[in-house]
Amino acid sequence: GEFDAVSGHFQKKEEADKVASDCKERMCQVEKEDIQTKTVRAPKLYDLTSLQRDANRIFGYTAQQTLDAVQEMYEKKLVTYPRTDARVLSTAVAKEISRNLKGLTRYQMAAPFAQEILEAGSFQGIEKTRYVNDKQITDHYAIIPTGQGLQNLGRLPQISQKVYQVVVRRFLSVFYPAAVYQKVSLVSAVGKEKL
């Protein structure tokens, strides 16, 4: 197949152009390959700061805009208490998490995923994962969707609806298996040039 190959830095553009031209006209020989299997679990749930960072990175919202949006959602019972520094759930909340998931089956974007999680039972045992830790909670646990108040969502400003979707996606992600992928590094030679 095709892949991009990178070489060292060149002092002159002509040198780089010559190597590029040589590479197009010749076959390359793979001299070394390194294949590593990587596993990445879903990130922890949102606290206020991490939600503000993601809303800024994804949508360009300021910290205050995100706080206002999530506070409004909290007042409409869509999410849990927003002013938290915890990124995990309490054991007590984890035992009742199916209620949140059942409520999300009425939210169009999340419905098929919440239903799949419920049917597979992948929410069971969540209290034994890195997403639940009573010792890491000071006053309030992570920001998660309650599964309630969905009748109010359509009446909220667009910013709140977008932030809600981000919270829901992060919440649902903790119930799925870790992503497993391969990282492949190749050292190839074309003539004397190593790529």
Side-chain angles (χ1 to χ4, degrees):
E2 293 185 18
F3 60 93
D4 291 331
V6 220
S7 183
H9 297 281
F10 296 94
Q11 298 298 321
K12 298 179 181 172
K13 184 178 183 319
E14 296 80 28
E15 293 174 22
D17 290 340
K18 181 175 181 342
V19 170
S21 174
D22 289 348
C23 289
K24 288 180 184 173
E25 297 171 9
R26 296 188 199 169
M27 292 286 282
C28 74
Q29 177 72 36
V30 175
E31 291 188 346
K32 179 182 170 188
E33 69 177 3
D34 181 27
I35 301 174
Q36 298 176 353
T37 300
K38 301 280 187 178
T39 302
V40 179
R41 292 183 288 183
K44 287 188 176 180
L45 297 162
Y46 281 122
D47 64 356
L48 181 57
T49 303
S50 60
L51 178 58
Q52 288 170 320
R53 282 188 192 128
D54 275 2
N56 179 264
R57 181 180 54 81
I58 298 167
F59 305 116
Y61 298 156
T62 66
Q64 187 62 50
Q65 286 175 309
T66 303
L67 173 59
D68 293 345
V70 76
Q71 180 66 36
E72 186 175 27
M73 289 185 291
Y74 170 69
E75 291 168 6
K76 302 289 186 192
K77 306 211 182 314
L78 286 157
V79 297
T80 57
Y81 189 74
R83 289 181 172 87
T84 180
D85 60 356
R87 297 192 63 195
V88 293
L89 300 174
S90 68
T91 306
V93 170
K95 289 179 181 175
E96 303 293 325
I97 209 70
S98 62
R99 291 180 184 177
N100 302 65
L101 289 163
K102 285 177 186 165
L104 288 177
T105 60
R106 297 187 324 264
Y107 178 44
Q108 185 178 4
M109 184 281 295
F113 307 105
Q115 192 63 43
E116 179 182 352
I117 293 164
L118 287 166
E119 288 172 5
S122 56
F123 65 92
Q124 295 169 342
I126 189 78
E127 65 277 357
K128 297 175 187 159
T129 67
R130 70 189 198 123
Y131 305 108
V132 178
N133 188 334
D134 292 330
K135 294 177 185 171
Q136 293 179 358
I137 299 171
T138 49
D139 295 326
H140 300 280
Y141 52 88
I143 302 168
I144 61 171
T146 61
Q148 302 172 18
L150 290 167
Q151 70 277 7
N152 298 316
L153 186 60
R155 295 184 215 125
L156 294 179
Q158 192 69 27
I159 183 172
S160 296
Q161 293 180 37
K162 287 181 176 182
V163 172
Y164 183 72
Q165 192 175 96
V166 169
V167 171
V168 169
R169 286 174 188 263
R170 175 66 59 90
F171 174 69
L172 293 175
S173 72
V174 305
F175 300 103
Y176 279 90
V180 179
Y181 64 95
Q182 287 187 327
K183 180 181 178 186
V184 179
S185 297
L186 302 174
V187 176
S188 302
V190 178
K192 295 178 183 176
E193 189 65 29
K194 304 283 188 207
L195 306 167

